[in-house]
Structures are given as structure tokens and as C-alpha cells.
């Protein structure tokens, strides 16, 4: 039943050469990207790769991911079977039968079972695309019911069917022992029925050859099709998990500013090799798209499409760029699939939901910031509203352009100390919103009261405090951010600041993570963490339980939760102050939905689609909470505004510090 | 053809304080900015550069640290930056200032024909709006003030037609080049400097012209050449307001009270 290896061998060789050339053509293109070290901490990387690529930890986070888990492991196990099949086709004498019999039998049993599992999973996957058709599988460039998707599933299905057919024939002809191949035995039974009475050998032989060639041709077709298709991910997903960013991508890489350099990514070769490799690892599962707040509210941004556009652009321009030529397809503002519009690039809130959702750690958001860097720094192209922001930041070091002398207005009636190393333990970094925003100033005062009540030694920088620069960095104005960061790092170093309390997750993350790139290692706590510690240690004693807030729910700020993993602290604080754990929204913790103000979106208009804060406010209103608790000034503004728009004046918004301060009032 | 932007470094007025003893502006520690109206003058010159290939020069009279202002202009794309700085220029009023600026422009015109001089409509520290017209007068240029749109400009036939923004109306005015324009904010949206230009501007040359270069009669410049001087600067006293009503607990009552008070003062036309 083995074929004529004289026909098969050249066919296989041709396919292998084609496969190798196609792979080389694609993979070699990533070398046009900028350098980036992703070869450090190999041990950790291997561990992550095993957990996430082989353990599929992120894949199975969604129920249907279990289906993928089964197909993946079937594939891995069947690699042995298929390897044997190909080798046997070339060298008919070599087969797994050469192994010790018990081992051979176990393998045959395993192949038989996983083939059946794979077959069922593939049918379920087809059914999902045909019947359920989840919205997030559709995008502007590919549909859930795409030919490619079905072709791949059909290939797998045919492989499994041919496998059972081939072994069924072998069993029926007595060449294999069916005892260890339950599924193939069923096939054998069916095939015997198909040739009743006749000579089993003569009738089944052509069937056997047919199945063999079907299996062989599908394998060869798969091999040739693989590098051109999204199914490439079976080669790239595993290394992509190995090369993942070991730290959460909650900062942006620094840029060096020197004459004759270009900044950001305005061309595909300005991305790093890993950015480019990401494109090949995407399987179009649509999870980032499903998690993206901009996409959910009808903006043109779809993180999956951004990755696809970069890949398409690389394929179109890569060969030219490698020869030193100019790109044909613009990366920004061109036409077709290989380009991103400016509107898309500015729609991102940098909330990191895409990063959290991707099963193979593709870094969508950082690519968007790199394109913003190009637009701002090389072309000065950005939404009009940002001009004021940029100028205010440079001239007055705050987003509103309010005189820095007004930074201390919130404490004009309080006795607040200036920070002095040795005298005060903590610097309370008030932040721009805490200093200038009328609503947030209440939070600042509440927090100051709490700190005093708990006997914390703290001081402020007062009029010397400067903006941390978060918005600038996320908006791609790295040049000005860089200057502000240097100034702040110098200020903190000169003042001898070691421990910092922040009330804004954006200041928190910038001081904690971004400034580390400037050699400043601070012990930064968000007030939720500090309040949790003070309450737990008994340093902060509440005089009463806060009951007047009714049903309280907590909204996770992206830069506190997803970007910095602080989920429990604010919840514990609320539970301690009110006596009850806060109610959870449907989308909470790492699946939290952005308020719409991150990534500098706070300072921009929201012209297209619906408003992100409305989407989130509606979710909160559905739970019928009386109080929405936040731990971020941006979230505060977005909820306050959203509730006004929804005429939901009965629902209150409170920062967790205000809730605790309420518990300090005389009972 | 050359377009000249006249710009001034001014203290960031939101941060200015007055010394109660000397009655002068406290300038120490106060950040300086480019006079906001002047940023529109620079922008308009740069647009002429983009459209007609004009060369653009930015000039500024001020102390040596005004160089920073000119570097900002260089970062935006001006071709030449000249700082007019000399102790004898100090203490100048608008007349004396216009003498210095006009002399500098004339010197530039010796090398290359000056088609346009563009100034902001006024500075936010002096608020006189006299220097631009002073320059036009000294140089004999067409004087077009409060321009909010350039309707037409033709360097060949040397004609310019602009729209002036006046109280409650617009006026279209046409005149021959060379012309001196003072401009308002509505004229354009100033560009944002790109990083390569910013980096280049830190190394670009800012020319320094003092009175040895301009050779002006010291009696026409600086304090000596200034017929006007500031005798006193002060913040007007403002009566402290009072908080009336209780918006936090009785928003409707507070709103009613507000409406009544506004009606009583005839501030709400019904």
C-alpha cells in the first residue's frame, strides 16, 4: 500500500523546497526592522513559552479556547505520526513499527484518539464559524466565514479522515492490529462492508492507495499553503511567546535624540524586528478587537487590523526597503490593507486590553504609540486639540496651562509641609489633576486628611512640582516627555525623594515604571495600596462604617489594574470602609473597560462612533449601583461627565480616598 | 523676496507679579514665552515661504536671553534669526523700539528685497499695538493692521489684499507691497516644531546686531529716545466677592437666586 517512493520523493522534496523558500522570504524580511534585545533571561523565556505556548494558558481563558487546546495538542502528537508518514513514503522500510512493540501500540492508540478529538474539534470550529459567527471574528479585511478559515479546517479534517481510512484499510487487510486503534477499527468495519463478498485484498487495495495519496497530498498542500496563510502561526506563535516582553508593556522605550536621526515609526522598517515578527504570529482570533474600547464604540481602530496592516505593509515594501529603496505603500494614510489612518492611530486609549487579550503576546498598543511618535515628532501632525496641550505642558508643566503658582491652592487653608528629606518620609506627589481639577481637589484634601489621621510623615513639592508627562509619552511626544522626565528625575534626586504617594494611576505608573529608564528607582505607592496597608496595620482607625453610599461598585483604572496589577487593594479598602465588598462590573479586573481618557485621549475630542465613557457608564447603570468608586482622576472625570450626559444625577462618583475620609468623620 | 517676522519675548503674564515696593514687574523666576500674537506672525511668514519660496527672517529686540525666543522661531523653520541687543536699546518705548526694528529691516533690505514685515497685533506685556505701525511709518511700507486673513498676494504685481478684523465687522483692504501687517490669532494655526528642526535650532546661528552694527543716533533709541515712560504699574484693587445661596444643598434655590440677581442688574435680556 505504500506508494511508489519514486513519485512521492521528488514531490515531497519540491514541496519542502517551496516551503523553505516561502518561509525564508517572509522571515528574512523582519531583519529590516530595528534591533531590540529579546534574547535575555533565556530561562524565564523558556518557562513563559512552555506556560503560554504549550500550556495555552491565555488561549483557554475563553471557553472556546479549549477547542484550540485540543487541536494544538493533537497536532503536536500527530507530528510524530505525520513525520513517520513522510519518512515512510520516502524510505518504505522505515516506520514506527521498528520501535518496541508496547511503545508502538501506545503511540497507535494515542494517534487514533487524538485524531478523533481533532476531528471533533475541527467540526466544532467549523460550526462556530458557520452558525455562531462571533462578531469579533469579522474585521474589515477578513470575515468569520472566510475561505481561508474553512480551507485550513478542511485540510485538518481531510488529514484525519485519510488517517482513519488508511489505517482502516490496513486493519481490514490484516496488516495492522485493530485492537489498539478503536477508531480506525470502526473505519475498517465500514470499509469491509463496502466490499461485501469480493476479494478483500483486491477491493481494498485501491482504497488504501487512495487514502494514502489523499493524506500525502493534503500534507503537501498544507506545507505549501502554510507560509502564505494566517496558519503561519503554528510556526510563529511558540517563538512569539518566547520573545514576549517579559515586563508588562506599560512604558514606551526611550528614544535617543541626536542630529540626523528619525523618530517613531513612519515606515515599516522603523519598527523593531519583534514588531514585525508579531504580524506573522497573528491568527486573527479577534480577541484584541473584542477587548478594544475604541473598537467597541465604533472608532476605526481595531488593534488586530493595525498588526495586519503592518504585516501587509512589510510584505509589500520589505523587499524594496531591504535593497535600500523607498516604500511603495505608505504606512500611514495610504490606501488599502497595508496602511493605518491617522484617525485610527489617535483613537487608542493605551488601555492595554489588547495586550492582555492576545494569546501569543502580540504588542499592538506599543506599535500605535510608535506611529504617534512619528506623526508628532517628524510631521507635527496631530488632532488640533493637542496643540494647546503640548504647549501648556512645555510652558507651564500641566495640561491646562494653569499658572504653576496655583499648584498649592488646594492646601491654602491646610497646614501642609514641604517635602524635606530626613524630615518627611513620603513625598505626596499631588499630580496635575489633584492640584488643579476642581473635583479632584476634593480627593486631594481627603487623602491629606487621611494621611494626617494615620500619622504618616509626608510633604509636597508645592509650586516646584511638575507634571509627570504621562499624556505626552502615550501621545508620542517623546521629545518633550524626555525633557520633563529628566527635569523630574533631577528634582527628585536633588530633593532626596525615596518614597512617593500618588493618587493618580498615571503619575503612579510613570514614576514607577517610566522613570526607571532614567535610572530613578523610587518606592512608589498608589494611595489604594497605602490605604490598604494603613487600615490593615490599624494605623488608620475609622470612626464609623460608611453606609450612606448604598450599593458601591468599583471601576478598575487601566493604569492601576491592567498595567500594574493592583486589583485587590482598592477593593479591600472599600470593603473595610463600607463593610461590604464592592459589586463587580461584568468587565472587571484584567478585563476592565477603559473610561476613555487614557493615552492622552483625555485631551482630545471624541468625534466618531459613540463615547467610550457612555459605554462604561451604561454598564455601571445596568448594575444599579448607587456609588461608582474610582481610584483615578481621569476615570473620575469620565464618569462624572458620563453620568451627567445620561441624566443619572442620583448615582454618585467617589474616589476611594473620599470613602475612607467619610469613615473618619465623627459618627 | 524676504518676509520679516518681528517677535518679542514676553513674561508669561499668567505668572507675573508686581513688586509692591518698586511697582515694577517681578521678572525673576518667571518663565518667558514668545508673545502669542507673534507666533501667528511667524506662521504666516512660513506659509509665504511654503507658497512662494520667500526667505524668512525673524528679528527680536531684547536682552541677550531673548535668544531663546529666536531659537523657537528657528525650530519652526525661519531661515535667519537676528537678535537686536545692546544696552543702549534698553528702556525703549514704542517709538524708540520702532527705530531699532526699522533700522534692522532696512539693513536686511540692503541685501534682499523685503516684501512683507509681519508683527503680532500687540504684545501681551505692553499691549500698545504701536510698534508695528511705527515700523510701517518709519519704513514707508503699506500699513495693514489687525489682519485675520490674507485674501490675495502676488509677489509679481506686488499687490496684497487682506481682511481686517474690526469691531463687529470685517474690512477688505488692498495695497502695494512692501507692506507691514499686524495680525490677530484668527489668521492661522501656528505649526508645531518637528524634532529634527528643534535639534537643528539649538546649533543654528542667532546673529547679534548691536548699535555698532545699526549705528543709530543714541538720542533716538533706548531710554533717551523714548518720549513716554511708565510711571507706575499696579494691580487694580478688586472687592472680595461673597458666597450667596447654597448650590450644594439647594441647587434650584441657588439657580433662582442667580437669575433674580442677574435680572436685577439687567444682565439677562428677556
Amino acid at each position: 500500500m505504500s506508494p511508489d517512493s519514486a513519485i512521492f520523493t521528488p514531490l515531497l522534496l519540491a514541496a519542502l523546497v517551496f516551503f523553505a523558500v516561502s518561509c525564508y522570504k517572509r522571515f528574512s524580511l523582519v531583519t529590516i526592522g530595528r534591533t531590540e534585545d529579546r534574547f535575555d533571561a533565556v530561562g524565564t523565556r523558556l518557562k513563559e513559552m512552555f506556560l503560554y505556548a504549550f500550556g495555552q494558558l491565555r488561549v483557554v481563558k475563553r471557553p472556546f479556547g479549549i477547542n484550540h487546546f485540543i487541536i494544538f495538542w493533537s497536532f503536536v502528537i500527530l507530528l510524530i505520526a505525520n513525520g513517520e508518514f513522510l519518512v515512510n513514503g520516502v524510505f518504505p522500510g522505515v516506520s514506527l513499527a521498528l520501535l518496541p512493540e508496547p511503545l508502538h501500540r501506545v503511540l497507535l492508540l494515542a494517534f487514533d484518539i487524538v485524531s478523533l478529538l481533532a476531528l471533533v474539534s475541527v467540526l466544532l470550529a467549523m460550526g462556530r464559524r458557520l452558525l455562531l459567527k462571533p462578531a469579533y471574528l469579522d474585521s474589515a479585511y477578513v470575515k468569520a466565514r472566510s475561505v481561508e478559515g474553512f480551507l485550513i479546517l478542511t485540510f485538518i479534517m481531510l488529514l484525519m479522515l485519510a488517517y482513519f481510512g488508511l489505517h482502516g484499510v490496513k486493519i481490514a487487510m490484516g496488516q495492522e492490529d485493530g485492537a489498539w486503534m478503536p477508531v480506525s477499527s470502526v473505519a475498517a468495519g465500514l470499509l469491509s462492508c463496502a466490499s461485501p463478498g469480493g476479494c478483500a485484498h483486491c477491493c481494498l487495495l485501491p482504497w488504501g492507495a487512495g487514502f494514502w495519496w489523499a493524506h500525502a497530498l493534503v500534507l503537501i498542500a498544507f506545507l505549501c499553503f502554510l507560509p502564505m496563510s494566517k496558519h503561519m502561526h503554528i510556526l510563529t506563535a511558540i517563538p512569539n511567546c518566547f520573545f514576549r516582553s517579559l515586563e508588562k508593556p506599560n512604558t514606551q522605550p526611550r528614544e535617543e535624540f541626536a542630529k540626523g536621526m528619525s523618530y517613531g515609526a513612519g515606515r515599516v522598517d522603523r519598527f523593531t524586528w519583534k514588531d514585525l515578527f508579531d504580524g506573522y504570529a497573528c491568527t486573527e482570533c479577534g480577541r484584541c478587537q473584542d477587548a478594544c474600547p475604541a473598537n467597541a464604540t465604533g472608532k476605526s481602530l481595531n488593534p488586530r487590523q493595525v498588526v495586519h496592516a503592518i504585516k501587509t505593509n512589510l510584505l509589500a515594501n520589505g523587499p524594496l526597503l531591504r535593497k535600500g529603496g523607498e516604500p511603495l505603500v505608505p504606512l500611514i494614510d495610504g490606501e488599502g490593507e497595508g496602511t493605518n489612518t491617522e484617525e485610527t492611530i489617535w483613537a487608542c486609549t493605551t488601555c492595554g486590553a489588547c495586550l492582555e487579550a492576545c494569546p501569543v503576546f502580540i504588542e499592538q498598543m506599543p506599535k500605535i504609540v510608535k506611529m504617534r511618535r512619528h506623526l508628532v515628532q517628524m510631521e507635527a501632525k496631530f488632532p488640533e486639540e493637542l496643540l494647546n496641550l503640548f504647549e501648556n505642558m512645555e510652558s507651564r508643566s500641566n495640561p491646562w496651562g494653569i499658572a504653576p503658582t496655583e499648584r498649592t491652592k488646594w492646601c491654602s487653608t491646610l497646614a501642609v509641609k514641604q517635602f524635606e528629606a530626613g524630615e518627611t518620609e513620603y513625598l505626596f506627589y499631588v499630580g496635575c489633576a489633584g492640584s488643579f481639577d476642581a473635583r479632584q481637589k476634593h480627593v486631594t484634601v481627603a487623602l491629606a486628611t487621611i494621611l494626617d489621621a494615620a500619622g504618616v510623615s509626608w510633604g509636597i513639592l508645592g509650586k516646584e512640582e511638575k507634571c509627570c508627562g504621562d499624556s505626552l509619552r502615550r501621545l508620542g511626544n517623546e521629545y518633550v516627555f524626555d525633557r520633563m522626565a529628566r527635569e523630574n528625575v533631577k528634582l527628585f534626586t536633588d530633593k532626596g525623594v525615596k518614597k512617593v504617594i500618588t493618587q493618580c494611576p498615571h503619575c503612579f505608573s510613570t514614576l514607577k515604571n517610566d522613570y526607571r529608564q532614567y535610572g530613578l528607582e523610587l518606592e512608589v505607592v498608589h494611595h489604594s495600596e497605602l490605604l490598604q496597608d494603613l487600615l490593615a496595620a490599624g494605623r488608620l482607625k475609622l470612626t464609623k462604617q460608611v453606609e450612606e453610599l448604598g450599593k458601591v461598585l468599583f471601576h478598575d483604572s487601566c493604569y492601576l489594574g491592567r498595567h500594574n496589577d493592583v486589583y485587590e487593594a482598592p477593593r479591600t479598602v472599600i470593603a473595610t470602609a463600607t463593610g461590604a465588598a464592592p459589586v463587580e462590573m461584568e468587565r472587571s479586573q484584567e478585563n476592565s473597560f477603559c473610561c476613555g481618557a487614557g493615552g492622552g485621549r483625555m485631551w482630545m475630542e471624541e468625534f466618531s462612533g459613540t463615547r467610550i465613557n457612555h459605554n462604561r457608564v451604561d454598564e455601571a447603570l445596568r448594575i444599579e449601583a448607587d456609588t461608582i468608586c474610582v481610584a483615578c482622576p481621569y476615570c473620575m472625570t469620565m464618569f462624572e461627565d458620563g453620568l451627567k450626559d445620561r441624566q443619572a444625577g442620583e448615582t454618585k462618583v467617589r474616589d476611594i480616598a473620599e470613602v475612607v475620609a467619610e469613615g473618619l468623620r465623627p459618627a | 523676496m524676504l518676509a520679516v517676522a518681528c517677535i518679542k519675548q514676553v513674561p508669561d503674564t499668567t505668572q507675573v507679579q508686581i513688586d509692591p515696593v518698586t511697582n515694577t514687574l517681578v521678572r525673576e523666576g518667571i518663565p518667558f514665552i514668545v508673545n502669542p500674537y507673534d507666533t501667528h506672525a511667524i506662521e504666516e511668514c512660513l506659509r509665504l515661504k511654503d507658497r512662494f519660496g520667500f526667505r524668512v527672517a525673524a528679528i527680536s529686540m531684547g536682552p541677550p536671553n531673548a535668544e531663546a525666543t529666536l531659537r523657537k522661531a528657528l525650530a519652526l523653520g525661519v531661515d535667519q534669526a537676528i537678535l537686536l541687543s545692546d544696552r543702549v536699546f534698553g528702556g525703549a518705548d514704542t517709538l524708540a523700539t520702532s527705530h531699532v526694528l526699522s533700522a534692522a529691516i532696512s539693513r536686511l533690505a540692503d541685501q534682499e528685497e523685503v516684501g512683507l514685515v509681519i508683527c503680532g497685533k500687540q504684545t501681551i506685556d505692553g499691549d500698545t499695538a504701536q510698534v508695528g505701525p511705527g515700523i510701517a511709518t518709519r519704513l514707508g511700507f503699506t500699513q495693514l493692521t489687525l489682519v485675520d486673513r490674507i485674501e490675495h498676494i502676488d509677489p509679481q504685481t506686488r499687490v496684497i489684499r487682506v481682511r481686517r478684523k474690526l469691531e463687529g465687522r470685517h474690512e477688505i483692504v488692498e495695497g502695494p507691497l512692501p507692506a507691514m501687517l499686524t495680525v490677530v490669532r484668527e489668521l492661522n494655526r501656528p505649526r508645531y516644531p518637528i524634532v529634527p528642526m528643534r535639534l537643528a535650532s539649538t546649533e543654528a546661528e542667532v546673529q547679534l546686531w548691536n548699535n555698532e552694527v545699526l549705528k543709530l543716533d543714541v538720542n533716538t533709541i533706548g531710554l533717551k529716545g523714548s518720549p513716554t515712560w511708565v510711571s507706575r504699574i499696579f494691580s487694580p484693587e478688586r472687592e472680595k466677592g461673597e458666597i450667596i445661596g447654597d448650590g450644594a444643598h439647594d441647587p434650584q434655590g441657588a439657580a433662582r437666586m442667580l437669575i433674580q440677581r442677574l435680572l436685577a442688574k439687567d444682565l439677562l435680556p428677556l
Side-chain angles (χ1 to χ4, degrees), chain A residues 263 377 380 394 396 477, chain B residues 12 192 194-195 198-199 203:
Chain A
Y263 310 98
Q377 303 187 127
E394 265 189 89
R396 291 170 200 164
N477 197 336
Chain B
D12 186 350
Y192 190 70
I194 60 170
V195 172
R198 282 194 194 225
L199 294 175
E203 288 172 20

Side-chain angles (χ1 to χ4, degrees), chain B residues 150 152-161 173-177 179:
Chain B
I150 295 183
H152 173 78
I153 178 164
D154 188 344
Q156 301 301 317
T157 55
R158 285 158 208 275
V159 173
I160 183 167
R161 188 162 69 240
V173 188
E174 195 174 284
L177 292 180

Side-chain angles (χ1 to χ4, degrees), chain A residues 262-279:
Chain A
S262 73
Y263 310 98
R267 280 173 27 166
V268 74
D269 56 342
R270 303 283 190 245
F271 285 111
T272 70
W273 68 266
K274 175 60 174 56
D275 285 320
L276 303 179
F277 192 77
D278 272 351

Side-chain angles (χ1 to χ4, degrees), chain A residues 207-488:
Chain A
W207 281 94
F211 284 127
W212 197 96
W213 275 107
H215 198 268
L217 291 175
V218 171
L219 266 185
I220 284 173
F222 217 152
L223 206 58
C224 296
F225 180 57
L226 198 66
M228 335 282 182
S229 76
K230 66 171 191 165
H231 219 61
M232 168 90 115
H233 84 285
I234 67 170
L235 300 176
T236 49
I238 297 169
N240 219 53
C241 290
F242 177 86
F243 291 126
R244 70 169 283 200
S245 171
L246 291 178
E247 287 186 26
K248 279 179 171 262
N250 52 17
T251 69
Q252 271 71 43
R254 278 184 73 171
E255 281 195 303
E256 193 196 331
F257 294 100
K259 264 178 95 176
M261 299 188 57
S262 73
Y263 310 98
R267 280 173 27 166
V268 74
D269 56 342
R270 303 283 190 245
F271 285 111
T272 70
W273 68 266
K274 175 60 174 56
D275 285 320
L276 303 179
F277 192 77
D278 272 351
Y280 294 138
C282 178
T283 325
E284 291 159 16
C285 72
R287 290 190 188 185
C288 56
Q289 168 179 342
D290 198 33
C292 176
N295 193 260
T297 52
K299 316 287 190 288
S300 63
L301 170 61
N302 174 355
R304 158 187 175 191
Q305 212 153 316
V306 170
V307 173
H308 176 77
I310 293 169
K311 172 183 161 182
T312 312
N313 195 286
L314 176 66
L315 293 174
N317 293 327
L320 277 168
L321 290 168
R322 198 163 41 177
K323 288 183 205 139
E326 286 295 308
L328 285 175
V329 182
L331 180 65
I332 301 169
D333 271 347
E335 292 196 356
E337 283 181 21
T339 189
N340 296 289
T341 64
E342 283 180 52
E343 193 189 325
T344 298
I345 293 167
W346 292 112
C348 178
T349 68
T350 70
C351 75
C354 50
L355 302 169
E356 192 70 33
C358 182
V360 295
F361 297 93
I362 289 170
E363 291 150 32
Q364 302 91 332
M365 178 267 274
K367 299 186 201 339
I368 296 173
V369 176
K370 285 176 187 174
M371 288 188 278
R372 286 181 172 183
R373 283 182 174 181
H374 169 81
L375 286 173
V376 172
Q377 303 187 127
M378 298 300 290
E379 297 194 39
K381 273 178 161 179
F382 43 78
E384 222 178 307
E385 312 90 89
L386 293 181
L387 186 65
N388 263 335
L389 173 80
F390 290 164
E391 284 179 349
N392 290 338
M393 286 289 205
E394 265 189 89
S395 59
R396 291 170 200 164
S397 199
N398 71 76
W400 294 279
I402 300 171
T405 46
E406 293 193 16
R407 268 200 190 264
T408 46
K409 266 200 166 171
W410 66 272
C411 59
S412 52
T413 57
L414 301 170
V416 174
K417 280 189 211 140
Q418 281 287 117
F419 174 85
E420 213 162 301
E423 300 285 312
T424 39
E425 184 185 359
Y426 282 100
L427 164 69
F428 175 21
Y429 184 80
V430 184
C432 299
S435 305
F436 300 115
D437 181 84
R439 176 67 186 89
Q440 193 65 23
K441 278 198 266 187
H442 291 285
V443 181
T444 311
V445 172
L447 187 54
T449 315
I450 297 168
L451 294 178
D452 282 342
V456 175
S457 158
W458 63 282
I460 58 170
L461 290 173
K463 289 167 187 160
E464 285 180 84
E465 186 181 291
K466 290 176 157 60
C467 176
C468 68
D470 160 75
S471 286
L472 289 177
R473 193 162 225 206
R474 318 304 160 214
L475 286 167
N477 197 336
E478 183 70 10
Y479 181 78
V480 178
F481 170 80
D482 186 71
R483 283 219 312 234
M484 291 172 73
R486 283 169 200 269
E487 281 176 22
N488 269 324

Side-chain angles (χ1 to χ4, degrees), chain B residues 4-57:
Chain B
V4 182
C6 301
I7 63 177
K8 186 185 182 190
Q9 169 179 277
V10 295
D12 186 350
T13 47
T14 58
Q15 302 180 42
V16 161
Q17 284 168 338
I18 293 163
D19 187 320
V21 182
T22 58
N23 268 337
T24 53
L25 297 179
V26 179
R27 297 201 172 199
E28 247 134 73
I30 298 297
F32 287 98
I33 57 173
V34 184
N35 177 43
Y37 295 105
D38 299 350
T39 61
H40 298 270
I42 298 171
E43 176 61 30
E44 205 53 38
C45 287
L46 292 174
R47 288 185 185 197
L48 292 171
K49 178 181 173 179
D50 295 342
R51 265 176 77 191
F52 302 110
F54 278 36
R55 229 169 51 78
V56 177

